[in-house]
Amino acid sequence: MTADEERKRMERLQRFQNNASTSNIPAPIPSMRKGDAVVGTSTEVLKDYLRLTSEVDPRNVRPYLILKQALKQVTNRYKDGAEYPWVCSQMKSIRQDLMVQHIANKFSVKVYEYHARIALEKSDMGEFNQCQSQLKILYAKGIHGHEEEFLAYRLLYFIFSQHRSDMALVLGEIKSSAYKSSPGVQHALAVHHALETGNYHVFFILYQDAPNMNGYLLDQFVNRERIKALCIICKAYQAGIPVTFVATELGFDDVRLFKRFLKVYHITKRSYENGILQCKAVLPMLTTAMAKFNQVDIRGQL
Amino acid sequence: MSLRGAATSNVIAQSHRFHYHKLPEPWQQIVEYHIEAAIDYHELRFVNAYEKQKELVILFQNSMRDWDNWCLHVLYVFMQDFQYIASKADRQMEAMTGEEENKDRYLKTAATLISKSFSICINDRMQLRGSKKWGVYRLSGILLGVYIKLGQLNLCTNVTKAIKVAELPEFYEFPKGDQVTYLYYSGRLAFAEQNYAQAEIALHEAFRKCTIRSTEHKDMILFLLVPIRMLRGILPSPALLDRYPNVRDTYGGVASAIKAGNVRAFMDALDENEQSFIKYGTYFAVERARSIALRRLFHRVYHLLDRPKKILLHDIQVALTFVGLPLSMEEVEWTMANLIFNGFIKAYISHEHLTLVLSLRDPFPPLTLGE
């Protein structure tokens, strides 16, 4: 760094310090590793996400007030139709700047909740999982946000990812939680119970009528459950079963939508010619479909 | 010699002896660490106690390689103490700082060191008679216990794999206590992976070999064995439940509900003891037993109706309502469809006639742990 650049840097720092008001800036939470918290100096509001590979440079990190502006701008642009990849990158960089400055407060919760919700909208389960894991840590520190909403999402996420041990832990948490009777959590519990008891009748009713964003999570595994349900039906109704009945039970508003669904898994008109689903014939296609679902790896990227 | 309990004050009381009579190294240093750890532990400075114990372990491990297996009994005590103190230190840190990150950091470090001891033993090249290989199963027990406490089940497979490929004396030649411990953990791990058939074999053997005097260990084994047996339709006998009251408290309710085929009572008992089941990791296994209760119910209906070829779904609906489970007709169909799919009943459903058509031969096949 030349003397010239050094001087300019000091000037920029001075400018920032003069402009910043002291009332709203939170102090970084004191932690055991006091040396690690960085104080950012960047004034560039928008920044794309770049994974950290070396030590953090404070000049690239935005301070708290700038981050607040950043969130506002990003949310507005998303509302105006900005593409998700760009929005996601912006949100990740805001999260990163918060993380390296050890900022953990209501604003952080707001950031993670926002990203989690739009990730759900766009079926980005990797980012969703990262955000909801962080939120759990923040809520545990006593920072408030929409705990009840996200408690329900956590249960549904583990049902989606089929992580039984995590599922058991969340169930335990819910039973002793204050949010036990909130509509979102009750819905998630009902979904869990319906799936455990194979009560697909109730499951698909719950699918069609879900509070908050529970429906988006259910969307992630509804087709998997439909195939499972079809496997059960085909084993049990060997003499055949009316297509209209199955369509209703599996939560399709219209029989045609159900037929379109079947086509995706190579089940064609031949298998239900006179309105009766030919169960035995359909089983091999279903087995193939089930195998595909069990291969999907949904671990959140880190 | 252990640090736990009353022995601690004993150690401290004897400590003055070592100021005057010096021992050869590394023993002098080891004893000093041991005494310091005891004092710290006694005065509830668990983190300090942990640090001292850690130094002791490292020192002991370095010297251990050249020693014969006489050192094993000492090793066991040091390792047990180490993991115990590490846990206490972690809890103390958590209480003081309330931090969630870096949780269990002491126990994690302890695990690495214990794992090292395990490696030293399993790779010991000495003659069989004096070999440290004889410590393998005991150490594996300590190590697996730590991994399970940390929730790091994936690391457990490293241990079991290492044992499988190592050249060790026959299993039954090892001390019975070590055998039981290892069988218990094998069973527990198999259980966690829902490999119930394998788990049952290991746990049954563990129960058989476990001395009747260790009621705590018998309880632990039964806590896993009972739900597995329930899934095979084998319920704990009243005699067993009498002898092990803890087991009765937790599993008695669900067991009697299954016996009666009372699904509602089963669900209530499941709810009531939920926390215990989740704590021991048996919740999902027990939840599955609901199907057993259902099967029991329909088996009784089948006999009551004098083994008919067909049963009206309507009659099934009545039976379910009778035991406190009023379901809609669609839900009844799904219930039966699930039982058929899972192999509990051999039949098919006619939706048109809303009837269950039973297989002519053996509609209620004997239960296996097929899955």
Side-chain angles (χ1 to χ4, degrees):
Chain A
M1 217 188 310
T2 66
D4 208 17
E5 289 173 54
E6 178 76 61
R7 190 178 38 84
K8 284 206 176 127
R9 182 170 174 239
M10 292 319 296
E11 275 175 14
R12 255 183 287 148
L13 262 173
Q14 270 305 111
R15 227 184 301 140
F16 170 68
Q17 273 164 3
N18 292 337
N19 288 339
S21 85
T22 47
S23 53
N24 288 335
I25 303 175
I29 301 275
S31 77
M32 307 254 305
R33 302 158 290 142
K34 279 207 181 113
D36 291 350
V38 163
V39 179
T41 60
S42 166
T43 51
E44 293 283 321
V45 179
L46 296 178
K47 184 176 95 170
D48 282 319
Y49 175 68
L50 231 113
R51 180 173 261 220
L52 279 180
T53 47
S54 55
E55 251 197 58
V56 156
D57 184 349
R59 292 174 298 170
N60 292 331
V61 175
R62 291 159 290 178
Y64 186 61
L65 286 179
I66 305 288
L67 287 174
K68 282 191 127 170
Q69 290 179 43
L71 181 67
K72 223 185 207 146
Q73 283 197 27
V74 172
T75 50
N76 285 336
R77 293 220 194 169
Y78 182 65
K79 253 184 261 173
D80 292 335
E83 293 285 318
Y84 178 70
W86 178 84
V87 177
C88 181
S89 167
Q90 290 295 322
M91 291 305 297
K92 283 179 79 114
S93 78
I94 296 178
R95 282 160 51 189
Q96 188 183 61
D97 284 356
L98 286 170
M99 190 69 91
V100 303
Q101 296 180 92
H102 287 211
I103 298 175
N105 58 11
K106 273 199 160 160
F107 177 70
S108 331
V109 164
K110 194 170 170 191
V111 167
Y112 280 105
E113 285 184 354
Y114 182 76
H115 195 182
R117 291 198 193 102
I118 61 174
L120 274 184
E121 262 180 49
K122 300 293 177 182
S123 301
D124 186 349
M125 297 315 278
E127 287 303 324
F128 172 76
N129 189 30
Q130 283 185 45
C131 291
Q132 68 100 356
S133 318
Q134 268 305 114
L135 280 169
K136 175 166 189 253
I137 297 175
L138 290 170
Y139 294 148
K141 286 192 167 140
I143 307 164
H144 288 301
H146 297 89
E147 287 98 311
E148 8 187 310
E149 188 187 335
F150 279 84
L151 186 56
Y153 297 160
R154 273 183 71 219
L155 178 56
L156 290 173
Y157 179 79
F158 292 131
I159 297 178
F160 154 68
S161 63
Q162 296 178 303
H163 287 152
R164 307 213 95 188
S165 38
D166 290 312
M167 227 196 282
L169 288 172
V170 180
L171 281 173
E173 266 180 61
I174 291 179
K175 294 293 168 161
S176 49
S177 150
Y179 309 117
K180 194 175 359 180
S181 41
S182 74
V185 176
Q186 285 286 302
H187 178 264
L189 280 175
V191 166
H192 166 80
H193 185 71
L195 287 176
E196 283 299 317
T197 54
N199 191 341
Y200 283 104
H201 179 81
V202 166
F203 174 74
F204 288 106
I205 290 177
L206 291 168
Y207 169 64
Q208 290 172 307
D209 191 12
N212 298 332
M213 292 186 81
N214 288 13
Y216 286 93
L217 277 154
L218 290 174
D219 272 331
Q220 299 303 319
F221 60 97
V222 72
N223 286 339
R224 177 184 82 200
E225 295 305 324
R226 279 178 171 147
I227 297 291
K228 269 196 206 163
L230 275 170
C231 287
I232 294 175
I233 288 177
C234 287
K235 184 110 190 266
Y237 290 82
Q238 296 196 358
I241 184 169
V243 176
T244 42
F245 178 67
V246 181
T248 320
E249 285 303 297
L250 297 187
F252 288 99
D253 291 322
D254 192 313
V255 187
R256 283 171 294 176
L257 291 169
F258 178 48
K259 290 181 179 171
R260 216 179 289 167
F261 170 80
L262 289 174
K263 203 164 183 199
V264 173
Y265 299 100
H266 309 296
I267 298 172
T268 58
K269 284 200 188 99
R270 248 184 303 153
S271 309
Y272 49 86
E273 246 156 349
N274 42 2
I276 304 283
L277 188 65
Q278 302 304 317
C279 294
K280 276 200 192 151
V282 158
L283 259 157
M285 283 83 104
L286 291 174
T287 324
T288 322
M290 236 8 258
K292 279 209 198 113
F293 277 115
N294 288 333
Q295 274 171 23
V296 177
D297 178 33
I298 8 73
R299 288 224 162 257
Q301 323 98 315
L302 274 168
Chain B
M1 213 175 106
S2 164
L3 290 181
R4 291 195 254 180
T8 317
S9 26
N10 219 335
V11 171
I12 299 171
Q14 298 287 322
S15 64
H16 66 274
R17 286 168 56 191
F18 296 97
H19 287 303
Y20 301 108
H21 310 282
K22 289 252 173 202
L23 296 171
E25 291 296 352
W27 291 106
Q28 180 63 22
Q29 186 65 281
I30 286 179
V31 169
E32 276 174 27
Y33 280 139
H34 184 62
I35 292 171
E36 286 169 23
I39 294 173
D40 279 327
Y41 177 79
H42 190 67
E43 296 182 9
L44 306 181
R45 289 190 298 263
F46 296 130
V47 180
N48 291 1
Y50 164 83
E51 295 294 341
K52 298 287 160 54
Q53 189 75 4
K54 189 172 94 172
E55 294 306 315
L56 182 157
V57 164
I58 292 174
L59 193 53
F60 192 82
Q61 265 179 355
N62 288 340
S63 317
M64 196 171 86
R65 287 170 215 268
D66 305 320
W67 288 336
D68 216 314
N69 60 13
W70 60 261
C71 69
L72 284 180
H73 286 283
V74 182
L75 181 69
Y76 298 155
V77 174
F78 285 156
M79 288 296 140
Q80 279 283 44
D81 283 351
F82 191 31
Q83 66 98 357
Y84 182 73
I85 294 176
S87 242
K88 285 283 238 226
D90 278 326
R91 297 289 79 77
Q92 199 173 54
M93 273 312 251
E94 209 181 319
M96 286 197 323
T97 63
E99 248 191 28
E100 253 221 41
E101 319 155 9
N102 276 332
K103 195 176 165 193
D104 295 330
R105 76 161 83 114
Y106 295 128
L107 194 58
K108 282 188 182 144
T109 320
T112 322
L113 282 169
I114 299 176
S115 177
K116 197 154 176 234
S117 287
F118 175 76
S119 295
I120 295 176
C121 288
I122 204 169
N123 293 319
D124 195 40
R125 290 251 189 83
M126 295 198 186
Q127 261 194 340
L128 190 58
R129 200 150 165 219
S131 169
K132 293 193 277 297
K133 281 190 177 175
W134 288 106
V136 164
Y137 284 109
R138 182 79 177 261
L139 273 180
S140 73
I142 300 177
L143 190 53
L144 289 170
V146 172
Y147 285 148
I148 288 180
K149 229 187 213 168
L150 289 171
Q152 291 175 324
L153 293 180
N154 51 325
L155 291 175
C156 294
T157 41
N158 295 349
V159 178
T160 46
K161 269 191 196 150
I163 289 179
K164 262 203 192 102
V165 300
E167 250 182 61
L168 295 168
E170 290 290 345
F171 186 64
Y172 58 80
E173 291 183 71
F174 282 80
K176 227 181 202 178
D178 297 358
Q179 289 182 46
V180 171
T181 312
Y182 189 71
L183 284 165
Y184 170 73
Y185 282 120
S186 306
R188 183 150 175 188
L189 289 171
F191 188 100
E193 286 165 28
Q194 303 189 14
N195 196 339
Y196 297 130
Q198 212 181 317
E200 187 180 350
I201 296 172
L203 290 167
H204 177 64
E205 188 70 0
F207 189 74
R208 210 175 53 82
K209 285 191 165 154
C210 182
T211 162
I212 199 96
R213 281 176 285 154
S214 262
T215 43
E216 198 187 304
H217 290 163
K218 289 271 201 193
D219 269 347
M220 282 168 79
I221 300 171
L222 283 177
F223 263 79
L224 296 179
L225 195 50
V226 166
I228 295 180
R229 287 265 164 91
M230 282 199 314
L231 286 178
R232 273 214 289 136
I234 301 173
L235 299 171
S237 69
L240 185 78
L241 292 176
D242 276 338
R243 227 181 302 146
Y244 299 102
N246 290 325
V247 177
R248 184 185 53 214
D249 288 339
T250 311
Y251 290 107
V254 293
S256 56
I258 292 176
K259 190 159 187 200
N262 191 336
V263 188
R264 171 92 269 150
F266 176 85
M267 300 302 289
D268 289 339
L270 181 68
D271 253 341
E272 216 183 288
N273 293 299
E274 198 178 48
Q275 296 292 359
S276 303
F277 296 142
I278 291 183
K279 185 174 161 201
Y280 295 106
T282 57
Y283 182 75
F284 291 114
V286 179
E287 205 176 19
R288 256 198 219 177
R290 182 180 177 272
S291 304
I292 310 285
L294 277 168
R295 179 191 180 278
R296 197 79 174 220
L297 175 69
F298 297 128
H299 202 168
R300 291 174 86 185
V301 169
Y302 177 65
H303 281 285
L304 272 170
L305 296 176
D306 207 12
R307 299 203 249 163
K309 292 191 194 136
K310 301 184 187 175
I311 305 181
L312 291 173
L313 290 184
H314 178 259
D315 289 341
I316 291 179
Q317 193 181 32
V318 168
L320 286 167
T321 315
F322 180 71
V323 292
L325 207 65
L327 296 177
S328 69
M329 191 49 87
E330 292 99 340
E331 286 173 305
V332 171
E333 282 189 76
W334 278 109
T335 308
M336 302 320 292
N338 272 289
L339 287 173
I340 295 170
F341 180 76
N342 289 315
F344 290 110
I345 300 182
K346 276 216 239 154
Y348 73 86
I349 306 175
S350 163
H351 178 75
E352 199 185 351
H353 303 287
L354 287 179
T355 314
L356 182 74
V357 180
L358 294 151
S359 159
L360 292 169
R361 221 180 353 144
D362 219 9
F364 290 88
L367 299 163
T368 52
L369 285 169
E371 233 187 309

